[in-house]
Amino acid sequence: MGATGGLTKVGPMRTDSSSGTLPAREHLPAAAAGTPVLDVVIPVYNEEKDLQPCVLRLHEHLKRTFPYAFRITVADNASTDTTPLVAARLAAELPEVRSFRLEQKGRGRALRTVWSASDAPILAYMDVDLSTDLNALLPLVAPLISGHSDLAIGSRLARSSRVVRGAKREFISRTYNLILRGSLQARFTDAQCGFKAIRRDVAQILLPLIEDTGWFFDTEMLVLAERAGLRIHEVPVDWVDDPDSTVHIVKTATDDLKGVLRVGKALATGSLPLDRLARPFGDDPRDRDIKDVPKGLARQLVGFCVVGGMSTLFYLVLYSAFRGFAGSQIANALALLVSAVANTAANRRLTFGVRGRGGAVRHQAQGLVVFGIGLALTSGSLAALNAATSDPGHSTELAVLIAANLAATVLRFLLFRAWVFPDETDEPASPSTVVASHLPNSPVYQAYTTGPYANASHSNASHSNASHNNASHNNVNNANASYGNSPYPTDQFRAGDVADRTWGDPTTRLQPVRPHDSQDPRNPR
């Protein structure tokens, strides 16, 4: 048996900036529609002892407390013991349990593959040791079901969390999250807790942007979601450390640091099309019209003042440096040129919320025109000072330039707002705006029945023996050869075609949306 949703084509990290939107957040309907609302994935590797008690405990808890239909999916990461046999037996005995067999290791690969194949609107995962108290599961997914949030994570570092673990793991966890805060400006508190959930409509767009297939998958997902302006809900959890954990701390920490560097570089260069994850304009209450107040003016003023203050300091440092080998006019022109380029880039991203590389050259060109106006203003001030006194002191020059720069800053804001980054929310939406879809009548869903995964059928009898014989041949040693003749059905396919992005077109299939469903492409969310 297996998941019934279509498979998303997962490609390498995208570098284009084509516009696209997520649908507006909506509360899922309360009536049962046949499809499970929640799909909980348990990635496992050689967990033959812990898997059955974990699944039985989770199944009993969901049956007793969860008010919606649910599914538990065991994602076997190329186990070499009898874990696949245990997973298949559970899937045969419990109708809410499914089993997937992947021929390659990697927790991130397992999550991306199974989440891409799932038809449930809410996707979650938890570690097989169930270190997290299951009473936090409903609070975890409730904000996603209601449409309030896009992702949800359990946090062991929240003030009200109750955690039992050794000093070594506590130190490593807090240090890693401090690194994320300092290097990637992450605001979530716990990136590594194995207790997370995401809305499927978000996952359809976000998963193709994630490169990692191992333990850094969680962090990369959260950083990209946060940078795109998605709402991440945090749930304080009760958590007890598993003393028998097989995680290799040193290797995992090294891979995580490499991932931090890679993602930081991608964010710094603007190579990630995070605008694909923006919600439609109007989904945020801050989009609403307020009488006599232009949209976003207060936020833009604050952002512009911060950027302007930093730019002024940067300019003064540059001017002082250039003044050591050049005259006042040349030093002023050079300092203003360099700071203007940096100022335009910072305001583009931070003040006016423009992401991606689209229009960047045009914006810089317009910024240089604004720079020319500022240059004329500051140069004129210096000329007037030199006309008033033949040998003005350095401090006097700086005072005049500060006043001139303040005037130029006000003028720069007005020009940026009205000309360089105008408010275009009233313009008609482009008919080419797209979103991904896994609805039954969408191209993605229909392609699932004809693509390379068509053999991973949702019918048990048609392929159970063949899939298990193949798994036995490739991954189970002679001691477990009986697994190949198991009567229990398990979906088996090679994860590489999806997770390693070798299946045809490397992009998610897209379908047009109605013009009124699209958004302002500059919307900072």
Side-chain angles (χ1 to χ4, degrees):
M1 302 175 70
T4 57
L7 279 172
T8 304
K9 295 184 179 181
V10 181
M13 183 173 285
R14 304 287 293 274
T15 57
D16 60 316
S17 57
S18 304
S19 62
T21 67
L22 291 167
R25 296 188 187 97
E26 293 182 355
H27 197 303
L28 296 177
T35 300
V37 170
L38 173 66
D39 192 348
V40 182
V41 179
I42 304 176
V44 293
Y45 174 72
N46 290 348
E47 297 286 354
E48 59 185 359
K49 295 181 179 179
D50 295 335
L51 180 57
Q52 179 167 328
C54 161
V55 172
L56 292 178
R57 179 182 165 197
L58 176 60
H59 182 268
E60 187 276 333
H61 177 83
L62 289 172
K63 272 283 193 181
R64 178 169 49 87
T65 65
F66 195 67
Y68 294 89
F70 66 88
R71 175 191 300 138
I72 300 172
T73 302
V74 179
D76 173 32
N77 271 155
S79 295
T80 57
D81 61 2
T82 59
T83 296
L85 181 61
V86 176
R89 184 171 66 248
L90 290 169
E93 295 173 354
L94 301 174
E96 294 85 7
V97 177
R98 301 291 185 269
S99 173
F100 272 88
R101 168 76 177 180
L102 294 93
E103 300 300 337
Q104 293 173 286
K105 294 175 61 177
R107 183 178 69 168
R109 176 180 286 109
L111 292 176
R112 179 163 52 200
T113 303
V114 177
W115 278 355
S116 297
S118 180
D119 57 353
I122 305 299
L123 309 169
Y125 95 88
M126 61 180 60
D127 293 334
V128 69
D129 56 16
L130 295 187
S131 295
T132 305
D133 182 14
L134 292 179
N135 287 328
L137 182 55
L138 184 55
L140 181 81
V141 301
L144 308 187
I145 294 174
S146 69
H148 174 272
S149 301
D150 301 294
L151 298 91
I153 64 174
S155 175
R156 300 162 297 183
L157 303 181
R159 290 189 176 184
S160 57
S161 299
R162 295 175 291 191
V163 177
V164 179
R165 62 175 168 180
K168 179 180 179 181
R169 286 184 176 271
E170 182 76 12
F171 173 78
I172 292 174
S173 179
R174 291 188 178 275
T175 301
Y176 178 64
N177 282 281
L178 285 175
I179 291 174
L180 293 181
R181 287 175 174 267
S183 59
L184 299 179
Q185 289 77 52
R187 289 175 290 178
F188 47 84
T189 61
D190 192 349
Q192 295 175 310
C193 182
F195 195 68
K196 296 181 175 68
I198 185 173
R199 287 179 63 99
R200 183 168 63 95
D201 56 354
V202 176
Q204 290 170 355
I205 309 297
L206 181 57
L207 293 181
L209 304 181
I210 302 175
E211 227 178 65
D212 192 79
T213 59
W215 293 96
F216 188 70
F217 176 89
D218 300 48
T219 302
E220 188 169 357
M221 176 179 69
L222 293 176
V223 169
L224 298 186
E226 188 174 75
R227 286 300 187 95
L230 300 182
R231 179 177 285 168
I232 301 175
H233 177 72
E234 294 198 15
V235 178
V237 297
D238 296 342
W239 196 85
V240 179
D241 190 17
D242 177 15
D244 298 324
S245 175
T246 58
V247 177
H248 300 288
I249 296 178
V250 175
K251 183 180 185 302
T252 301
T254 302
D255 292 341
D256 286 345
L257 292 178
K258 291 179 180 178
V260 169
L261 293 175
R262 174 176 54 79
V263 172
K265 179 181 178 181
L267 293 173
T269 58
S271 61
L272 291 169
L274 298 180
D275 55 332
R276 293 179 180 273
L277 292 163
R279 291 287 181 182
F281 192 82
D283 185 61
D284 191 319
R286 293 172 295 183
D287 296 336
R288 299 169 187 167
D289 290 321
I290 302 176
K291 187 177 181 180
D292 299 327
V293 177
K295 294 179 182 178
L297 178 60
R299 177 182 57 78
Q300 291 178 356
L301 277 173
V302 172
F304 187 82
C305 287
V306 172
V307 173
M310 298 300 294
S311 297
T312 300
L313 292 176
F314 184 48
Y315 163 81
L316 293 175
V317 171
L318 292 175
Y319 177 80
S320 298
F322 294 149
R323 192 68 175 85
F325 60 84
S328 61
Q329 292 288 3
I330 295 178
N332 173 64
L334 290 175
L336 196 57
L337 175 61
V338 176
S339 61
V341 172
N343 180 275
T344 300
N347 276 303
R348 181 178 186 269
R349 172 65 179 86
L350 302 176
T351 304
F352 298 96
V354 181
R355 295 182 173 87
R357 296 178 178 178
V361 175
R362 174 174 58 84
H363 293 153
Q364 283 292 350
Q366 291 173 309
L368 289 178
V369 174
V370 178
F371 152 75
I373 297 175
L375 176 62
L377 183 59
T378 54
S379 298
S381 300
L382 284 176
L385 176 63
N386 290 326
T389 176
S390 59
D391 187 22
H394 184 64
S395 59
T396 304
E397 283 185 348
L398 291 180
V400 170
L401 287 174
I402 289 174
N405 265 284
L406 288 176
T409 297
V410 175
L411 181 60
R412 185 182 301 116
F413 176 76
L414 296 176
L415 290 174
F416 274 179
R417 182 175 173 83
W419 179 49
V420 182
F421 308 109
D423 187 357
E424 301 172 350
T425 58
D426 295 329
E427 293 185 0
S430 169
S432 62
T433 301
V434 292
V435 297
S437 174
H438 279 192
L439 297 176
N441 60 350
S442 72
V444 176
Y445 188 91
Q446 294 167 2
Y448 181 59
T449 61
T450 59
Y453 287 90
N455 290 332
S457 169
H458 316 305
S459 170
N460 299 334
S462 63
H463 70 288
S464 60
N465 290 334
S467 64
H468 287 295
N469 284 327
N470 189 30
S472 176
H473 176 72
N474 291 320
N475 293 285
V476 182
N477 55 29
N478 293 333
N480 299 320
S482 60
Y483 167 61
N485 299 319
S486 168
Y488 303 111
T490 300
D491 280 329
Q492 178 179 340
F493 54 84
R494 183 180 179 276
D497 290 339
V498 171
D500 291 339
R501 303 173 285 275
T502 58
W503 177 19
D505 179 8
T507 63
T508 303
R509 286 198 179 185
L510 304 170
Q511 69 177 35
V513 296
R514 298 182 301 275
H516 62 270
D517 286 337
S518 61
Q519 64 139 27
D520 176 5
R522 295 191 306 102
N523 185 13
R525 297 172 325 287

